[in-house]
Amino acid sequence: MKIVIYHSRECDPKKCTSVKLQKQNKISITHNIRKIPYNAIVLDAEAEKAVSLEDKDRITKYGLSALDCSWKKLKNSSFNFKSKKNHRLLPFLVAANPVNYGKPCILSTAEALSATLYIVGYKDQARDLMNQFKWGPHFIKLNENLLEAYSQAENSTEIVKVQNEFLGGK
C-alpha cells in the first residue's frame, strides 16, 4: 500500500517521524501537494468524517496520505490541502511520542498513520510503523482498547459512537 506524506518543512528534521519513516522506506515524502495520490484517503484534523473500516478498500487501492506540519501552524498549512477529496479525521487517541506524550489528539504523523492502518484492519502494518520508534509500541499499548473498539466499527458513524461512549457522552 502506498503512503505519501505532504511535508511542509515546519518541524525539526531530527525529531520528525515522517523523515524517519522515509529513511526506513516505509513511506514517501513530497513537498508538492500535486503528488498526493488523487483518490487516496487523506488524514485531516479538520475533516468532518472519521476514518473507519469502510475506508480500507480505498486505502488499499489508492493509498493513504497526510499533512506533516506543526500543530501550531495547522490552519495555515492545511488550506492548500482542501482541494483534495476523501479527507478523514482520526477519533480520540492519546499521543505516546516524546514531544506530546499523554496529550489527547495531538499525534505525530507516524502515530496518525499507524492508528489509521490499525482502524481499517492493517494491524500488522500499524505495529510495523510504530516499531520504528523506541516509544512506538507504547502508542499501540496505550490506545489498545480504543483502537480495537474503533477497528470493530463498520463506518464513521459507529466510530463517533465508540468515541463518545468512551468520553462519557451519548
Side-chain angles (χ1 to χ4, degrees):
M1 129 193 20
K2 187 174 196 165
I3 301 175
V4 179
I5 304 302
Y6 173 75
H7 198 284
S8 63
R9 298 181 173 127
E10 295 174 352
C11 59
D12 180 348
K14 293 176 184 171
K15 295 179 183 176
C16 182
T17 60
S18 293
V19 170
K20 181 162 186 175
L21 289 175
Q22 182 183 40
K23 286 179 182 176
Q24 300 296 325
N25 294 316
K26 302 294 181 186
I27 65 160
S28 298
I29 290 178
T30 184
H31 303 290
N32 181 347
I33 199 81
R34 294 184 181 137
K35 300 284 183 179
I36 299 297
Y38 180 70
N39 285 312
I41 292 295
V42 178
L43 297 179
D44 181 348
E46 297 182 342
E48 294 181 13
K49 187 174 181 181
V51 69
S52 70
L53 184 58
E54 68 185 344
D55 295 313
K56 184 175 185 173
D57 289 342
R58 182 170 295 280
I59 289 171
T60 302
K61 188 171 182 180
Y62 300 108
L64 176 61
S65 190
L67 168 63
D68 188 317
C69 70
S70 165
W71 277 97
K72 295 174 184 170
K73 298 179 181 181
L74 179 64
K75 295 268 187 216
N76 294 336
S77 298
S78 66
F79 80 95
N80 286 329
F81 228 37
K82 296 303 175 192
S83 64
K84 299 291 179 186
K85 60 182 182 175
N86 303 314
H87 288 228
R88 298 293 184 269
L89 176 69
L90 280 169
F92 179 89
L93 294 163
V94 177
N97 69 77
V99 175
N100 291 306
Y101 184 85
K103 294 181 182 175
C105 305
I106 309 288
L107 307 181
S108 68
T109 303
E111 289 169 318
L113 294 170
S114 177
T116 300
L117 294 174
Y118 198 104
I119 290 167
V120 302
Y122 289 118
K123 296 176 185 181
D124 290 340
Q125 292 89 333
R127 287 184 182 94
D128 181 54
L129 284 185
M130 288 292 86
N131 285 338
Q132 306 308 307
F133 306 92
K134 285 187 255 182
W135 50 265
H138 185 62
F139 172 73
I140 302 283
K141 187 169 182 74
L142 183 66
N143 292 286
E144 192 167 26
N145 291 341
L146 274 174
L147 287 168
E148 273 302 315
Y150 293 146
S151 73
Q152 301 303 311
E154 297 276 330
N155 56 44
S156 180
T157 302
E158 288 184 23
I159 292 277
V160 172
K161 183 179 175 187
V162 169
Q163 172 187 270
N164 290 344
E165 287 172 3
F166 174 78
L167 294 174
K170 301 209 177 205

